[in-house]
Amino acid sequence: NAGVTQTPKFQVLKTGQSMTLQCAQDMNHNSMYWYRQDPGMGLRLIYYSASEGTTDKGEVPNGYNVSRLNKREFSLRLESAAPSQTSVYFCASSGLRRGIGNQPQHFGDGTRLSIL
Amino acid sequence: GENVEQHPSTLSVQEGDSAVIKCTYSDSASNYFPWYKQELGKRPQLIIDIRSNVGEKKDQRIAVTLNKTAKHFSLHITETQPEDSAVYFCAASGNAGGTSYGKLTFGQGTILTVHP
């Protein structure tokens, strides 16, 4: 039972390149989230998926796209990377569903992304 | 949207002392307040959470208090140990059945250092 798994762990890109960050969870959770973490700014929500087949914007969605491929997988794509997107990216999942209230979010180990 | 302010940004204590971290939130509809601990280079890990229908929750050396009227909540760590040294984040989330749907808004983090 691995929890939330993110790949890759590290990546260096050049400005303008594209890439997809992968996230998978094995806890049968409905909800999944993508955050970025920058020094002194905590974690900021990029996109989330309340359930399979749905996605919504978070606080900082510009420059990103997401796909909820199935219940287990939620990917984050940078179409044209910019230096301002240098950050640590965390994926999270929770067992949240309507009617039972908020549930804890469980985080992956993160992807450290540098854009030159 | 929700705004969460966290203080202090850094906190230094001697081993055995108590540590208190405070957060305020802006959205009176928020009803779920988790606290996460993040060690250097690691994922955020949930250490305790509280829902708006209770005023206090304890788990061994850790406690969280919530004042809904004043819209603030606090983390209390007693008998601190060097292994408590980490960054601590508070967060707030609104009604899981409403438009916020489990989205967490994080504070900026507190770097806690416990000196032996």
Side-chain angles (χ1 to χ4, degrees):
Chain A
N1 194 348
V4 179
T5 302
Q6 292 184 238
T7 56
K9 295 188 184 303
F10 303 93
Q11 184 70 47
V12 178
L13 293 177
K14 294 181 180 179
T15 297
Q17 287 185 317
S18 62
M19 81 160 293
T20 300
L21 280 62
Q22 307 287 352
C23 175
Q25 52 91 9
D26 61 4
M27 295 175 282
N28 200 34
H29 284 168
N30 287 322
S31 300
M32 298 185 74
Y33 310 84
W34 275 105
Y35 295 90
R36 60 178 289 173
Q37 184 175 33
D38 302 297
M41 299 191 72
L43 293 106
R44 293 182 292 168
L45 183 64
I46 305 171
Y47 270 94
Y48 69 103
S49 171
S51 61
E52 185 179 354
T54 68
T55 61
D56 283 289
K57 296 178 180 179
E59 181 184 354
V60 288
N62 291 345
Y64 305 95
N65 285 300
V66 290
S67 295
R68 183 74 182 268
L69 304 170
N70 47 55
K71 190 171 185 178
R72 291 186 63 250
E73 299 172 290
F74 188 37
S75 62
L76 178 72
R77 183 162 179 83
L78 287 71
E79 290 291 352
S80 179
S84 61
Q85 294 177 304
T86 293
S87 189
V88 181
Y89 291 85
F90 286 99
C91 177
S93 71
S94 82
L96 171 70
R97 60 184 186 275
R98 293 192 188 278
I100 69 167
N102 280 294
Q103 298 297 309
Q105 290 187 18
H106 302 268
F107 285 80
D109 286 333
T111 295
R112 284 147 186 81
L113 182 61
S114 293
I115 299 165
L116 307 177
Chain B
E2 176 66 276
N3 183 51
V4 177
E5 297 288 334
Q6 182 172 347
H7 299 280
S9 57
T10 61
L11 180 59
S12 183
V13 300
Q14 290 297 127
E15 183 176 2
D17 287 350
S18 294
V20 180
I21 303 170
K22 299 181 179 180
C23 289
T24 60
Y25 61 99
S26 61
D27 187 352
S28 57
S30 289
N31 59 10
Y32 176 66
F33 307 92
W35 285 88
Y36 286 84
K37 175 184 180 181
Q38 187 178 30
E39 297 176 348
L40 188 62
K42 301 288 184 64
R43 70 176 75 180
Q45 291 197 300
L46 180 75
I47 55 172
I48 195 166
D49 57 7
I50 190 168
R51 301 178 191 276
S52 59
N53 58 347
V54 298
E56 184 176 4
K57 183 177 180 181
K58 290 183 180 180
D59 183 2
Q60 299 182 338
R61 297 186 296 110
I62 294 173
V64 57
T65 58
L66 171 64
N67 183 326
K68 287 189 294 184
T69 302
K71 290 190 283 188
H72 67 72
F73 57 112
S74 299
L75 178 71
H76 305 254
I77 305 174
T78 59
E79 301 173 17
T80 54
Q81 301 167 1
E83 50 265 40
D84 294 329
S85 296
V87 181
Y88 291 81
F89 292 96
C90 64
S93 182
N95 185 350
T99 57
S100 62
Y101 206 78
K103 292 188 292 184
L104 287 177
T105 300
F106 283 83
Q108 296 86 348
T110 296
I111 302 171
L112 173 65
T113 304
V114 180
H115 299 282

